[in-house]
Amino acid sequence: MQLGIDSFVAVTPDAVTGAAPEPVQRIQDLLDEIVTADRVGLDVFGIGEHHRSEFLDSAPAVLLAAAAARTKQIRLTSAVTVLSAADPVRVFQEFATLDLVSQGRAEMVVGRGSFTESFPLFGLDLDDYDSLFTEKLDLLLKIRENTEVHWSGRHRAALSGQSVYPRPLQRRLPIWLGVGGTPGSFARAGALGLPLMVAIIGGEPHRFRPLVDLYRQAGLRAGHAPEMLTVGVHSLGYVADTTEQAAEEFFPGYAAMFTKIGKERGWPPTTRAHFDAQRGPAGALLVGDADTVGRKILRVSEALGGVSRFTVQMNAAAVPQEKMLRSIEILGEGVAPILRG
């Protein structure tokens, strides 16, 4: 099983001091995190895409290219590219260029995103939420397979044999489909034979098993080989030297961020009782020491019928940078050997 980290490059104020990092320093911290992840042998680092004041990840390909110049082995991916609000030609060009810069380490996870700010920002109609994504995914996959592209759709000008350059170093640039909890999204990924990245940020992970089964069944019906139907999981988490330390360091920032988001979505404030339940054996949070987190990941993988990649989003709380780097070290040196063993 591959293990990695996802980041939204948050500039959330510290829950205790109220101080927020300066953007220029936060970007340098991000690059240090990726270098550390590479050094301790983690498999992948992903950067999300948001267009909000609390995140600095509106241009993930640029950040990943900067990381590519400072790393040697780790794979570099988006998490996710909001394809509904992007031009697939430009997305492919950016990640093909990243693949060349990184010497064949680029990937992308494409999805519709969990926020909607990009639609008015780029002049799009939210009523076209699904049709935009379906159409643009079709174009992106055609570009991956063909240098000269013939395609037409409703939301973008047609292509009548134009060539898309550069081409990536990898013969087929890896494209994962990022999904939440919509059955149609799981079935679509299976029908297309795309690897699946499931975002499980709350609740009980085992409840996603019927949806993962739906993905695999749709893939087999479409004629795709079982080994093509790869499942990954993205979860929130944080690792420290002890489970108690991990919980105490992660909770304040986690509660502050999810209470803020909850106000927008009608959720109740995040309580310590809710947090403790989510980091318990059945919950989605991966918070604890290396053994606790490693064994929980294995249980989730078993519950979902086998997971090939697990990525942990650790910047959901404003943890000081020295503690974040220590957490990454424990993830690579303590958790990864449990999964690989």
Side-chain angles (χ1 to χ4, degrees):
M1 185 192 302
Q2 294 182 334
L3 181 64
I5 295 171
D6 289 332
S7 175
F8 295 168
V9 202
V11 285
T12 310
D14 186 284
V16 178
T17 67
E22 291 294 329
V24 66
Q25 184 59 53
R26 181 66 190 93
I27 295 297
Q28 297 309 309
D29 289 347
L30 170 72
L31 296 176
D32 288 342
E33 291 163 18
I34 303 175
V35 168
T36 301
D38 185 49
R39 175 175 59 80
V40 300
L42 290 174
D43 298 290
V44 60
F45 201 106
I47 296 178
E49 179 190 340
H50 299 84
H51 303 272
R52 299 169 59 93
S53 61
E54 61 264 46
F55 304 117
L56 297 175
D57 60 349
S58 62
V62 176
L63 297 172
L64 293 167
R70 297 180 55 179
T71 55
K72 301 184 184 307
Q73 300 294 330
I74 196 165
R75 298 191 68 78
L76 301 166
T77 183
S78 58
V80 302
T81 295
V82 183
L83 191 59
S84 304
D87 182 342
V89 174
R90 292 297 290 158
V91 168
F92 185 86
Q93 290 174 325
E94 289 169 355
F95 280 84
T97 302
L98 172 63
D99 201 50
L100 298 175
V101 172
S102 66
Q103 300 182 59
R105 293 185 282 134
E107 301 185 5
M108 70 175 86
V109 181
V110 300
R112 293 181 291 187
S114 59
F115 295 95
T116 60
E117 287 82 3
S118 58
F119 284 82
L121 182 63
F122 296 109
L124 301 170
D125 190 338
L126 193 57
D127 290 339
D128 295 328
Y129 183 78
D130 190 63
S131 64
L132 278 166
F133 181 75
T134 301
E135 185 175 290
K136 291 185 176 187
L137 178 61
D138 178 61
L139 175 54
L140 180 65
L141 295 177
K142 279 188 167 55
I143 295 169
R144 181 174 69 166
E145 301 301 325
N146 305 279
T147 302
E148 295 182 359
V149 183
H150 295 266
W151 178 92
S152 63
R154 183 164 68 92
H155 298 291
R156 188 199 186 282
L159 295 174
S160 54
Q162 291 92 334
S163 297
V164 178
Y165 293 109
R167 306 308 295 180
L169 179 61
Q170 298 175 87
R171 188 183 68 82
R172 294 181 90 231
L173 188 68
I175 298 175
W176 296 62
L177 189 60
V179 299
T182 306
S185 297
F186 284 80
R188 172 164 43 204
L192 293 172
L194 295 175
L196 182 78
M197 180 57 69
V198 187
I200 305 179
I201 62 172
E204 298 178 343
H206 75 269
R207 294 186 176 180
F208 282 79
R209 178 61 183 266
L211 294 171
V212 172
D213 288 345
L214 175 64
Y215 160 71
R216 291 180 171 128
Q217 292 161 5
L220 293 175
R221 283 197 302 270
H224 300 296
E227 58 269 21
M228 290 182 61
L229 304 174
T230 301
V231 177
V233 171
H234 159 101
S235 290
L236 305 180
Y238 178 72
V239 193
D241 291 298
T242 69
T243 293
E244 180 180 358
Q245 177 188 350
E248 295 305 316
E249 291 176 355
F250 192 71
F251 172 70
Y254 168 86
M257 174 172 283
F258 276 85
T259 296
K260 180 179 184 297
I261 293 173
K263 289 181 180 179
E264 301 175 12
R265 302 187 177 187
W267 302 342
T270 300
T271 65
R272 182 58 189 255
H274 169 81
F275 171 75
D276 288 338
Q278 282 295 292
R279 69 182 180 92
L285 283 179
L286 302 170
V287 177
D289 61 17
D291 187 68
T292 298
V293 170
R295 294 184 183 279
K296 188 170 186 179
I297 289 174
L298 291 176
R299 289 196 302 272
V300 172
S301 177
E302 182 179 6
L304 297 181
V307 170
S308 298
R309 174 180 290 182
F310 233 100
T311 58
V312 184
Q313 184 197 337
M314 297 196 294
N315 75 326
V319 176
Q321 181 68 0
E322 65 275 9
K323 293 180 179 179
M324 177 64 72
L325 296 179
R326 174 58 183 155
S327 188
I328 294 171
E329 289 177 343
I330 298 172
L331 201 65
E333 297 170 354
V335 177
I338 295 173
L339 308 185
R340 293 165 185 161

